Amino acid sequence: MLVKLMTDMPMSVEAQDATTRLRVMKHIVEHGWTTSVALADEFELTAAAIRRHLAYLLTAGMLTTRSQPVSLRKGAGRPAKEFAATAQGRQTFSHAYDTFAISAVETLHRLGGDEAVTQFFEARFAAIEARFAELRALDADLPQAEALSIALTEDGFMAGVQPVGGGEQLCQHNCPYPSIATRFPQLCTVETSVFSRLLSSHVQRLATIAHGDGVCTTNIPPSTRKEDR
């Protein structure tokens, strides 16, 4: 049974603000240039609230700004201001996000053990499974491995497929959660299990970023390619 995290103490305003800024930075890092209006809509914040968070991040050197390109402007008037992460912002965010995420999963582990952590990771990969199914439904001729690589790339894994011998290799050039995967190897185990299920094959994990390799590599045996077509 998945443990529901609860607390008797309400979160302080300072903690709420820090959590919101972390979520805002994550969105900006993943999506690039964006406006305060788009961010307010994304996080259901008032214009004043999102401006306050953006001002804090700008002062901290984590964001930079520009006028919205002409090609993206809607109507006349003053161009909207767009925000993107600076190099310092990306580095600071990465450290802060890793610390926050690891702490959250460690708390989950203390309350529910390995089973709760595994279920949490399975829920996380459900979005990739859903996108995979959507891609295959839109194009029945799309190979399973290609559909998986697209779904992974859209989720930040920078994946690609290349032929090797009689089979294929799925390569992920980025891992959005390297620190979590290092601390909790269940993440890679769940990921590999999802790959096997979606590709209808017993895949083999050859390398992982969490173990210090430069890329996550998964071998897909030849049988998958034959069944896939």
Side-chain angles (χ1 to χ4, degrees):
M1 179 176 68
L2 185 60
V3 174
K4 182 178 180 181
L5 299 182
M6 302 182 68
T7 177
D8 296 328
M9 295 296 292
M11 185 181 294
S12 68
V13 174
E14 292 79 7
Q16 290 179 23
D17 283 348
T19 299
T20 298
R21 287 194 292 269
L22 191 66
R23 293 171 61 214
V24 169
M25 275 300 300
K26 182 177 186 293
H27 183 86
I28 294 175
V29 167
E30 292 179 346
H31 295 85
W33 293 101
T34 187
T35 65
S36 61
V37 173
L39 290 168
D41 289 343
E42 175 70 21
F43 296 103
E44 299 182 348
L45 297 171
T46 64
I50 194 62
R51 284 198 299 267
R52 177 167 57 84
H53 290 305
L54 292 172
Y56 180 98
L57 295 170
L58 282 167
T59 301
M62 298 180 70
L63 294 180
T64 185
T65 65
R66 73 176 184 185
S67 293
Q68 191 174 52
V70 176
S71 60
L72 299 178
R73 297 177 191 175
K74 298 179 180 179
R78 186 176 180 180
K81 182 184 293 184
E82 292 188 331
F83 301 83
T86 61
Q88 175 187 334
R90 288 179 178 277
Q91 182 177 5
T92 303
F93 163 76
S94 178
H95 175 73
Y97 182 76
D98 284 349
T99 300
F100 180 85
I102 291 174
S103 176
V105 179
E106 286 179 340
T107 299
L108 179 62
H109 186 262
R110 286 198 301 272
L111 294 175
D114 289 339
E115 182 181 358
V117 171
T118 297
Q119 289 182 2
F120 174 74
F121 291 150
E122 288 174 344
R124 175 64 188 83
F125 279 101
I128 293 175
E129 294 192 66
R131 180 55 178 152
F132 172 89
E134 180 183 4
L135 289 166
R136 293 277 288 172
L138 291 171
D139 183 359
D141 293 326
L142 182 65
Q144 290 174 315
E146 288 294 335
L148 178 56
S149 71
I150 293 172
L152 287 168
T153 296
E154 291 178 354
D155 207 57
F157 287 89
M158 296 177 60
V161 180
Q162 60 185 28
V164 175
E168 294 173 309
Q169 279 189 355
L170 175 68
C171 298
Q172 298 158 253
H173 299 278
N174 182 56
C175 175
Y177 326 105
S179 298
I180 298 178
T182 300
R183 171 67 180 82
F184 296 96
Q186 297 100 311
L187 177 61
C188 293
T189 301
V190 168
E191 183 183 55
T192 303
S193 177
V194 169
F195 291 176
S196 291
R197 182 164 60 252
L198 296 182
L199 299 175
S200 306
S201 173
H202 179 68
V203 302
Q204 181 181 9
R205 188 49 74 74
L206 303 178
T208 63
I209 294 173
H211 288 164
D213 300 300
V215 62
C216 292
T217 306
T218 304
N219 184 63
I220 306 171
S223 58
T224 301
R225 300 186 72 189
K226 294 176 182 178
E227 296 167 1
D228 192 21
R229 299 292 179 177

